[in-house]
Each structure stands twice: as C-alpha cells, then as structure tokens.
Amino acid sequence: FLSGVWAGHNCTFGQHLHCLVVNVTDHTNGNASSLTMGQDRGKYDFYIGLGLAISSSIFIGGSFILKKKGLLRLARKGSMRAGQGGHAYLKEWLWWAGLLSMGAGEAANFAAYAFAPATLVTPLGALSVLVSAVLSSYFLTERLNLHGKLGCLLSILGSTTMVIHAPQEEEISSLEHMTKKLVDPGFFVFATLVIIVALIFIFVVGPRHGQTNILVYITICSVIGALSVSCVKGLGIAIKEAIAGKNVVKNPLAWILLLGLVACVSTQINYLNKALDIFNTSLVTPIYYVFFTTSVLTCSAILFKEWGHMGTDDVIGTLSGFLTIIVGIFLLHAFKDVSVSLATLAVSMRKEERAFPAANGMGSHSTYELLHNESTEDIEDREMGLPFDSVSRRNGAMTSSLDH
C-alpha cells in the first residue's frame, strides 16, 4: 500500500502548486519476504526431517546386525545363550554397540517427527527392515533370495515415490497450535473411536481370539500407535520450542503428551510381544507395518490436515508409494525361507523346454535319448510339476514310490 501526505511547496515549474509528498513504503514486500522465508524454512525442516528418518532406519537396521554378531560370538565361546536365560551378552561390546545404535535410531526417529510430516516419517520406517536384510546377507552370511531382492528394490522405489509426493510444509508450529488441533471435533471423534476399539479388543476380543487370530493383537498395537505418533509429534514441537528459549515446562499440554506417549508405547510393546511370541515373525512384521502405517496416515490426515494441501497427483503418488512398500515388505518376509534364485529359475526353464516336445510326441531322437537317460526322479518331478530345487532333492531323500 502507498501512503501519501498533502503539503504546500513551491514547485520549480514557476507555479504555486500543492505537491504530493509520497511515502513509498510498500508493505506488501514485507509480507511477501516473510512468506518466502517461511517457505524456505519449511523446506529446510522437510529435508532435516527426511535426513533424520533415513538415518534412523540405518541405525535401527544396523543395530540388529551388531546385536546378532555379538550373540554369535558368545555362542562360539560357549557362553550360556540369551534364549536359555544367560546374560553374558552384557559383557560383549558388539551387543552394547547394537544397543547404542538402536537408541540413536529411535532418537533420530523421534526428532524427525518434529521437522517432517508424519505422512513421510512413518512409512520410511520400512527402510530399517531393508537395511537389516541387506546387511545380514553380507555380515551374517544369511542368504537373500530372489524374492528378498525384489522386495528391497520395491521398498526403495516406494520410499522414493513417497518422498517426492509427500507434503513439504509443516502445519503445526507451536504447542498452542497443537492444542487447537487436538480439540478439533474431527480428531476428537477419531481419538474416541480409537480408544473404544482398543478397549473392546483388549477386554473382549483378545481373551477369546487373541491366541488364534493374528489380527487381534496387531490391531491393538496399530490403532494405539496412531495416538503415540501424535504424542511424539507434539513432544517434538515442545522440544523445538524449548531449544528456542520458550518455557514449555509450565505448559500442561507437554506433560499430557508425555504421559500419553508412555501409556501408548507401553501398550504397544506389550501386545506386539504377545503377537511375536504366538505367531511367526515373518507374518507379524509385514501385517503390523501395514496396519500401523495405515492408522498413522489416517490420523495425520485428520489431525494435521497434511493431505488438505496436496494435489491429486501427490495423493495418488503417496498412496502408490505406500502400496509399493507394502508389496516389497511382503516379498521380503513371506518368502524369506524359500530357496529361489535366478540360477534355479534358468535351470527350471531349460528343463521345461526339454520336456515340452517330449510331452507332445514331437521330440527328436537326441531329445528322446537325453530324456531317457535322466533319472526317474527328474521325470516324476516334471510330471507332478514340482520345482527343480525341491526339498527332497536338496536333502538327497527319495520317497518309497520313487524306488519302484
């Protein structure tokens, strides 16, 4: 806006005129510059949060390898193993290095929520599984089969897609703003439903079906996890304000968020351990990731309104990246005990090509001789459609029917 003041002056044009003394102070420039600075700060916070989320996955994924290496060293020394009640691992420096790496990863993940949207930070937690799988194939000589490699590739592609399309501006900037978000009717209804569902599963469904249905305990962990992430987000903002010099200790919201986080995390740990104790880890891990991340994305959309400023292409990109990560995690876990590689696939394809003309009576004399000289076991495997590297062949075992 331009502000001016009328004043009487003798102009140099030989006439006595009233000249306008103009104050050319453009207030819009100040607003535009402050808006630009806010956008730049939002981008910096986004990249800081992204870096913290990725480093968290690296630290957490590496911690499993360090702990495993330490436990294997103790086993070679003849010490009582942890599974048998031994505590010799407390004297192993590799185990302590893994514990410190886990702590650093969790701290980085906690800090990431203070800078980046939960829509970005939570799905990137899948990278810790990828890092652990890749490092174990190099340092623990655990074989990563073809499905695992495809799963790692899909997880990387899905994570990259989510990073590209994730919201890059933070919606919550202070505890006062967080308070307004928490009392929003939409989030209040969501939180009430989450608590009701959790209580029903804990006191009604859990005692009846928790030992037989894998979804019961995982559902409890997942819905409570949405609230725990909200508490982490609020505490991260409180820490940022404390670093900036604001007195957040006297703010009751900070203590409410801290107590809520302790309650939620304790519940999650309890029921996740129950699920892992009863069911196969290769099933619990991918299902829990899907349920937990879906709950967090829903909570973020309701509480932080992160999806409100995203275009249609970004929403589709974020959901596509999330689904890609789900497929990758499923391949990485569900088929980790299946021995499949490019070499076995190539051999199986060659055997099928050789079997095809013989099955139709069109094979040449050389092909007939080749098939005739093969063992009865190979022929029967082909007829029954068994894979080339079946369990019976790897173990050198033959069934009684093949002996006749």
Side-chain angles (χ1 to χ4, degrees):
F1 301 94
L2 299 178
S3 60
V5 179
W6 284 100
H9 290 279
N10 291 327
C11 298
T12 58
F13 299 102
Q15 297 180 358
H16 184 73
L17 298 174
H18 288 289
C19 296
L20 180 63
V21 180
V22 180
N23 180 16
V24 288
T25 303
D26 191 353
H27 299 287
T28 57
N29 289 336
N31 295 334
S33 61
S34 62
L35 180 61
T36 303
M37 291 177 62
Q39 291 177 346
D40 292 339
R41 181 181 177 183
K43 290 182 180 180
Y44 290 141
D45 286 352
F46 174 82
Y47 292 122
I48 291 173
L50 175 61
L52 288 171
I54 295 177
S55 63
S56 169
S57 298
I58 295 175
F59 280 120
I60 294 176
S63 69
F64 294 110
I65 308 303
L66 292 173
K67 287 183 178 181
K68 185 70 174 181
K69 291 282 287 185
L71 294 174
L72 289 177
R73 286 182 58 174
L74 290 174
R76 287 195 296 267
K77 293 178 182 178
S79 302
M80 181 178 292
R81 306 186 66 169
Q84 300 172 349
H87 299 283
Y89 57 85
L90 295 176
K91 299 179 180 179
E92 178 60 48
W93 69 270
L94 274 176
W95 186 88
W96 281 105
L99 183 63
L100 292 176
S101 178
M102 174 71 74
E106 293 295 343
N109 186 66
F110 183 91
Y113 282 103
F115 293 94
T119 304
L120 172 69
V121 177
T122 303
L124 288 183
L127 293 180
S128 62
V129 180
L130 184 150
V131 171
S132 178
V134 173
L135 292 179
S136 63
S137 65
Y138 285 97
F139 296 102
L140 300 178
T141 64
E142 294 181 2
R143 184 180 179 184
L144 189 63
N145 60 15
L146 182 61
H147 292 96
K149 294 176 182 178
L150 290 175
C152 292
L153 178 61
L154 289 175
S155 298
I156 293 174
L157 291 177
S159 301
T160 304
T161 304
M162 293 202 69
V163 170
I164 293 174
H165 294 281
Q168 298 191 9
E169 292 185 8
E170 187 52 50
E171 294 296 326
I172 308 294
S173 58
S174 64
L175 286 179
E176 288 75 13
H177 196 184
M178 184 73 177
T179 304
K180 296 179 181 179
K181 293 289 187 180
L182 290 175
V183 298
D184 184 78
F187 177 74
F188 183 79
V189 173
F190 173 79
T192 303
L193 290 176
V194 165
I195 295 174
I196 292 174
V197 170
L199 291 176
I200 292 175
F201 271 75
I202 290 173
F203 295 106
V204 179
V205 182
R208 298 179 180 177
H209 307 287
Q211 301 292 323
T212 56
N213 194 325
I214 192 175
L215 300 180
V216 175
Y217 292 145
I218 293 179
T219 300
I220 297 173
C221 298
S222 301
V223 296
I224 294 297
L227 298 181
S228 67
V229 168
S230 302
C231 295
V232 169
K233 187 78 170 178
L235 288 175
I237 295 170
I239 293 174
K240 286 178 65 177
E241 289 192 340
I243 294 175
K246 296 183 179 180
N247 188 4
V248 298
V249 178
K250 296 182 179 180
N251 193 325
L253 180 61
W255 295 104
I256 294 174
L257 292 174
L258 179 60
L259 294 176
L261 178 63
V262 172
C264 291
V265 171
S266 301
T267 305
Q268 284 182 268
I269 292 175
N270 179 36
Y271 287 97
L272 182 59
N273 286 336
K274 287 185 177 182
L276 291 172
D277 184 52
I278 298 172
F279 304 101
N280 195 330
T281 305
S282 61
L283 294 178
V284 173
T285 302
I287 295 175
Y288 174 63
Y289 172 79
V290 174
F291 278 43
F292 173 71
T293 308
T294 302
S295 299
V296 172
L297 294 180
T298 305
C299 182
S300 299
I302 296 174
L303 176 60
F304 304 121
K305 306 293 191 299
E306 293 174 348
W307 297 67
H309 302 284
M310 296 172 61
T312 305
D313 55 340
D314 290 331
V315 172
I316 296 175
T318 300
L319 294 177
S320 299
F322 176 49
L323 292 176
T324 304
I325 295 176
I326 291 174
V327 175
I329 294 297
F330 178 77
L331 289 176
L332 188 61
H333 280 83
F335 300 99
K336 66 178 183 179
D337 296 326
V338 179
S339 180
V340 178
S341 64
L342 290 176
T344 57
L345 287 178
V347 173
S348 298
M349 292 176 63
R350 287 197 297 269
K351 290 176 68 65
E352 290 178 359
E353 290 175 355
R354 287 183 296 176
F356 180 75
N360 291 278
M362 299 172 60
S364 61
H365 178 72
S366 60
T367 304
Y368 173 78
E369 292 292 335
L370 179 62
L371 295 176
H372 182 72
N373 291 332
E374 289 183 346
S375 64
T376 307
E377 177 190 3
D378 290 341
I379 297 175
E380 189 159 331
D381 279 354
R382 186 184 307 114
E383 290 175 352
M384 298 180 64
L386 296 176
F388 175 72
D389 55 341
S390 61
V391 176
S392 62
R393 297 188 63 182
R394 285 201 306 271
N395 296 332
M398 300 283 288
T399 59
S400 60
S401 60
L402 296 179
D403 293 332
H404 301 286

